[in-house]
Amino acid sequence: MNNITIPPKIIKAFIEDRVRDEQEVFVHPSYETEQKLLLSLSNGLIEEATIALGTLNSQMRATLAKDETRSMKNSLIAICTLFTRAIINGGVNPEYAFSLSDVFILKIEEESDMDGLKELEYEMLNSFIKTLDDKRRPTYNAIVNKSISFIHDEILKPLSLEYIASYLKVHPYYLSKIFKQEVGLSITEYISRKRIKDSKYFLLQSDLPISNIAIILGFCNQSYYTKLFKEYNEITPLQFRNKFSKGVAIDV
């Protein structure tokens, strides 16, 4: 990252928001029950999924932070990630599933009451199943699904067509062709759009200079980052940051 110092709390929060590896941050009281929950969710079985979630909640939750509320939030973020993977497996467009996940992660962070968080967990389950019913469609090719998940997980690292193809053990030309056919964007453009979207997190949750944010997200310089940001959002990063601070509602 060119010796840019990122405040540890910012990176920690960013990584937590995506829960890159839910198996490392969430200790499951019952793997069998969890799998039943996820299978029920993938198949849109609301009653079975609700019963399984209730069974899990009757057991002791893992302690994921010293503060009880923060621990509960971390637990729900991990569950949100599992729900996201489940509906993708059920046939929901991955990008739509990830967007729904982002919405609920923001809701989790905004809620400060323990009872509210517990209610939110069931709201999240119902919303994910409703989305599965409403948005289920022929899913992308398995290779495209895996490439999208890999991009989301590794977005702060250098990414290239060749690197992603190597990870997936496919030829770069094949990956490029099938990704463009199914997603409608080249992998390079998809990565750029994802990085622009994620840069909003740093614009809103930190005081980092915009030049540093550009470097953190892998853009060659601030000018190029600003150009792309404006192309996708019709305002500059600075305008986005200033408008948000004034309470203007902007889709992040």
Side-chain angles (χ1 to χ4, degrees):
M1 293 184 184
N2 295 348
N3 298 319
I4 295 296
T5 301
I6 311 170
K9 65 180 182 179
I10 298 298
I11 284 294
K12 181 176 181 294
F14 180 82
I15 299 303
E16 282 179 350
D17 274 3
R18 278 130 186 89
V19 196
R20 293 178 52 201
D21 189 345
E22 61 270 15
Q23 297 299 330
E24 290 185 0
V25 301
F26 184 58
V27 179
H28 304 287
S30 173
Y31 180 78
E32 182 179 350
T33 305
E34 178 202 271
Q35 291 305 301
K36 184 176 181 180
L37 167 61
L38 298 181
L39 182 60
S40 298
L41 177 53
S42 295
N43 289 295
L45 304 175
I46 182 63
E47 291 185 9
E48 289 84 345
T50 302
I51 292 171
L53 181 58
T55 301
L56 283 177
N57 287 337
S58 68
Q59 303 170 33
M60 183 177 295
R61 285 184 183 270
T63 301
L64 302 178
K66 293 181 180 179
D67 177 75
E68 182 182 17
T69 302
R70 181 68 260 170
S71 180
M72 181 67 168
K73 288 184 178 184
N74 289 347
S75 175
L76 293 189
I77 290 171
I79 290 171
C80 183
T81 297
L82 293 176
F83 285 2
T84 302
R85 304 294 183 185
I87 65 171
I88 289 174
N89 290 337
V92 173
N93 182 303
E95 186 62 19
Y96 193 96
F98 282 120
S99 294
L100 180 62
S101 172
D102 289 344
V103 168
F104 271 102
I105 286 173
L106 287 175
K107 283 190 173 185
I108 291 167
E109 290 297 345
E110 290 170 356
E111 181 61 65
S112 58
D113 179 70
M114 283 294 289
D115 288 336
L117 287 169
K118 292 176 183 177
E119 292 177 4
L120 184 57
E121 184 172 33
Y122 285 91
E123 178 189 337
M124 188 163 62
L125 176 63
N126 287 318
S127 293
F128 272 83
I129 286 184
K130 184 177 186 302
T131 297
L132 185 66
D133 290 338
D134 294 343
K135 300 294 182 179
R136 183 179 285 175
R137 67 191 67 180
T139 188
Y140 289 144
N141 176 287
I143 293 297
V144 175
N145 277 337
K146 289 179 181 178
S147 64
I148 288 175
S149 293
F150 183 72
I151 289 168
H152 280 244
D153 289 345
E154 303 295 320
I155 198 64
L156 293 183
K157 297 181 180 178
L159 291 171
S160 66
L161 171 63
E162 290 72 22
Y163 178 60
I164 298 169
S166 175
Y167 170 79
L168 297 174
K169 297 180 173 57
V170 298
H171 194 280
Y173 175 78
Y174 170 74
L175 177 59
S176 176
K177 180 180 178 180
I178 194 169
F179 194 98
K180 182 65 179 292
Q181 284 178 342
E182 298 202 12
V183 180
L185 301 171
S186 68
I187 280 190
T188 299
E189 184 175 0
Y190 184 90
I191 292 171
S192 292
R193 287 181 177 273
K194 176 59 178 167
R195 284 177 168 160
I196 290 294
K197 180 180 178 181
D198 283 353
S199 75
K200 295 177 183 179
Y201 181 91
F202 293 96
L203 289 169
L204 303 181
Q205 301 296 332
S206 78
D207 295 323
L208 288 170
I210 291 174
S211 59
N212 286 17
I213 293 173
I215 293 174
I216 290 168
L217 271 298
F219 295 100
C220 57
N221 55 56
Q222 182 179 342
S223 296
Y224 181 62
Y225 164 61
T226 299
K227 177 184 176 182
L228 276 185
F229 193 101
K230 187 172 183 180
E231 178 181 334
Y232 297 153
N233 299 282
E234 299 183 348
I235 57 174
T236 68
L238 181 59
Q239 289 170 334
F240 178 87
R241 176 177 268 175
N242 290 340
K243 285 188 176 182
F244 181 85
S245 68
K246 294 177 182 177
V248 175
I250 299 178
D251 179 17
V252 298

